[in-house]
Amino acid sequence: MEILPKLPAGLALALLVALTAPAYAADMIADGTFEKGEDGFWAAGGVALSRERGKLCADIEAGGEPWDRLLGVNDLQFAVGTSYRLRMTTEGDEERIFPVLIQRSAEPWTAQATFTVGTQAGQEGFSTVFGATEAEPAQIIFHLGGAERPWQLCLDDVAISEATPEETVAAAKKVARGLPALVNQTGYFLDGPKRATILSEAAKPLAFKLEDTHGMVVGEGMTSPAGFDETVGADTQIVDFSAFATAGEGYRVVVGGRKSYPFSIGHDVYGKLRVDALSWFYPQRSGIEIKGDIAGAAYARPAGHAQASPNEGDSRVTCLTGKVAAELYGKDWTCDFTLDVSGGWYDAGDQGKYVVNGGIAAAQLLGTFERGLIYGKGASPVISDSLSRIPENGNGIPDILDEARWELEFLMKMTVPDGHPLAGMAHHKVHDTKWTGVPMLPHLDPEERALHRPSTAATLDLAAAAAQGARLFAPYDAAFAEKLLAAAKKAWLAAAANPVLYAPRSDGLQGGGDYDDTDIADETYWAAAELYLTTGEAEYLSDLKTSVYWAGPVFPAIGAFNWRSVAGLGRLDLALYGDMLPEEDRAMIRGSVVAAAKSFLGLQKKEPFGHIYRPANNRYDWGSNQLILQNMIVVSAGYDLTGEKRFLDGVRESMDYIFGRNAMNMSYVTGYGSVFAKNQHSRWYAHQVDDTLPNPPVGTLAGGPNSTLVDDVSKARLKGCAPQICYVDDIMAWGANEMAINWNAPLVYIASFLADAR
């Protein structure tokens, strides 16, 4: 395991980075002081140049459009993603403003950054930081036309140099304070909360307007100061237009003359997202050809790890051997068998397959189905056999179960065969013995594949997911349901016989992520909960009641659950589907979930960005976006259990952050909003480094801000970043811009909940 798109000039462009970049001279502009007569500036369209007294002066004719009167300099070569500082001194015969562009120096003249520069009667300094988005030869262009009468502009000390990390971060914070209103770029519900956030140093409320798609004012009011937010390093104010209830497209919030990105207001905000986020899993599949007529032509590829070369694929994989195996697991662990572990989903941007991560991801897809089945009262599209873009459409089984089955089949293949030591235990993972680079399509992977030692955590995760799947597949495929339940019970017994077989940490040096975990009390609780819900057998309830999680807290505010902490999954399912529980136990469990949901709402009220998340020391965690979604799932359960609209509104508002109401002013879901993440870390969705490959599919969730700078891109460019701005949309910024199965799964859950709960 191991990513900002083209955003408005300023904040986003200032944050774009690259893993490596050529070294440039301190100043890329030749003779920018205009003292040697060797500068390369040119003029066109009624602009005459002169060099005098160490300045470059342009006499500009009146009239025309801004782009009819040009001043420029060519022969600039930028490194994609590297940040640069542009400086200059301007002087005019009167006060004027005009655009300056960094753009390609040939058709189609693509602009990488656009700035507004001003002059006055006297010298004016200008300085900004931008990020390069192309490697094509570039130019600086001044658009000087449109004046009512001739005028003069003089330049001096023009320079472009590579920005330091400190300059990049400082520029981002400065621009952040001048951002327009930060809105949910996808849209707001007609009957739900509608709020935006602005970053402003103003101490008093500010006037705001709501404009429709034609620019007509349809609402207005005053903002509410919300105080200084340490996660962005700025003062905040809230724009509340919840009372406005007219459906439509293209609305914008206007504060201080700055307009937000457009958004919609309506009843169906996330129905399409449910489909896209779920369909994301199909091209993530291993061991099957991905067909272009289903996933889209750009995503077609041969089956991954299903061939005899360049490696032997996943149909005959043996255990890790040699020095690495001995260091990780000891000399006494080995195996003399091979397993067919084909299928399943590739975990993230790499091509490893991990039982603990696959377990929670499959479980949350199953949970999406179960929630829609029970609380959608049979009307939810989530039970449809034509919901997502997969080959199994029309086979008589709901699509979301078909997708989960692809992973469940793989999870069961990962068990040690009978007759061997640790029989019934699940291997922790399978992946390459060495890391591969980017890009690398799965069917071209040249590295050897190997199974890693079984773990108790993986075995219990298999037991939980398989037991959950057994009760949900029973009406559709009884034989498969029986197979799942048998696998779950076998894994449960194997884990009990090997209760402390932990996965070690190796810092990912062996070609795949670690997923180390030395506490399996939560996995035991989760597995017992799912086995009890499926079988109703008293022994599993007895095991539940002896767990430290039976009546204790299970939903930490940092993130209700994740692959390492899964007790919350068991608690949630017991609350939502545990009708067979004794009445006193059922009341206790449901009460604990509702209490947790209330606690999350209390946390949300303190957040000027409306999201349900505030980690310790304000430091954003790896995968912060999915942690926000997991907290939202707890609040959604509060709504399902009580029907109280405050819980529904809390989930709706928290979703705003994911889709643009954040300090990056961007949507973290590919294809959604005006500006969205599109370079998430992936070896085969690698358009940023290979233009023959696609960007990630629509509906891909980016990991989000991560205060711990773990990759070289983030270390080089985000040093000193405010927590909510510790993000860059670069394919090699895997610590902040990863995609993963256990991140898209909760996105499916919440999108489905919000699409249904009206």
Side-chain angles (χ1 to χ4, degrees), residues 135-219:
E136 299 296 327
Q139 60 185 187
I140 302 177
I141 293 291
F142 294 69
H143 286 184
L144 304 175
E148 294 181 358
R149 54 183 179 271
W151 65 289
Q152 185 182 70
L153 166 68
C154 293
L155 301 178
D156 196 4
D157 300 324
V158 183
I160 296 180
S161 58
E162 190 170 329
T164 66
E166 292 76 14
E167 287 176 322
T168 301
V169 172
K173 291 180 179 179
K174 180 179 178 181
V175 176
R177 290 191 289 271
L179 284 173
L182 307 170
V183 300
N184 182 329
Q185 297 173 27
T186 297
Y188 297 87
F189 283 93
L190 200 65
D191 62 341
K194 306 174 193 69
R195 298 186 181 95
T197 303
I198 63 170
L199 307 181
S200 172
E201 296 178 349
K204 296 181 179 180
L206 303 171
F208 75 85
K209 296 178 181 180
L210 180 64
E211 292 184 353
D212 65 13
T213 190
H214 304 294
M216 300 295 292
V217 176
V218 295

Side-chain angles (χ1 to χ4, degrees), residues 320-337:
L320 185 71
T321 59
K323 181 179 179 181
V324 173
E327 290 178 352
L328 289 177
Y329 307 118
K331 296 181 179 179
D332 58 335
W333 177 77
T334 185
C335 74
D336 58 359
F337 55 82

Side-chain angles (χ1 to χ4, degrees), residues 23-239:
Y24 290 103
D27 185 0
M28 296 173 62
I29 301 296
D31 192 19
T33 58
F34 307 104
E35 294 176 347
K36 301 177 182 178
E38 298 175 356
D39 65 272
F41 277 82
W42 53 265
V47 178
L49 297 183
S50 61
R51 280 87 175 168
E52 52 189 57
R53 302 186 306 280
K55 299 178 184 179
L56 174 69
C57 292
D59 291 294
I60 303 121
E61 294 180 2
E65 298 294 337
W67 51 85
D68 291 331
R69 312 280 187 259
L70 299 177
L71 170 65
V73 62
N74 299 333
D75 302 323
L76 301 177
Q77 192 70 50
F78 299 117
V80 174
T82 298
S83 296
Y84 297 90
R85 178 171 289 284
L86 167 63
R87 301 179 180 89
M88 70 180 85
T89 299
T90 65
E91 184 176 353
D93 51 5
E94 59 181 278
E95 184 176 338
R96 295 186 185 277
I97 58 173
F98 49 88
V100 176
L101 289 72
I102 308 291
Q103 67 178 33
R104 189 181 298 186
S105 57
E107 291 184 353
W109 315 104
T110 309
Q112 302 186 49
T114 303
F115 315 108
T116 298
V117 180
T119 66
Q120 59 183 3
Q123 289 190 340
E124 180 82 4
F126 176 84
S127 178
T128 190
V129 173
F130 68 95
T133 60
E134 292 192 344
E136 299 296 327
Q139 60 185 187
I140 302 177
I141 293 291
F142 294 69
H143 286 184
L144 304 175
E148 294 181 358
R149 54 183 179 271
W151 65 289
Q152 185 182 70
L153 166 68
C154 293
L155 301 178
D156 196 4
D157 300 324
V158 183
I160 296 180
S161 58
E162 190 170 329
T164 66
E166 292 76 14
E167 287 176 322
T168 301
V169 172
K173 291 180 179 179
K174 180 179 178 181
V175 176
R177 290 191 289 271
L179 284 173
L182 307 170
V183 300
N184 182 329
Q185 297 173 27
T186 297
Y188 297 87
F189 283 93
L190 200 65
D191 62 341
K194 306 174 193 69
R195 298 186 181 95
T197 303
I198 63 170
L199 307 181
S200 172
E201 296 178 349
K204 296 181 179 180
L206 303 171
F208 75 85
K209 296 178 181 180
L210 180 64
E211 292 184 353
D212 65 13
T213 190
H214 304 294
M216 300 295 292
V217 176
V218 295
E220 53 188 339
M222 301 297 291
T223 65
S224 299
F228 183 82
D229 189 288
E230 293 183 358
T231 70
V232 297
D235 291 297
T236 61
Q237 298 210 23
I238 306 300
V239 178

Side-chain angles (χ1 to χ4, degrees), residues 356 428 502-507 513-518 563-564:
V356 294
H428 196 69
Y502 302 135
R505 182 170 182 81
S506 66
D507 295 322
D514 289 330
Y515 291 103
D516 56 298
D517 191 356
T518 58
W563 64 265
R564 183 181 274 124

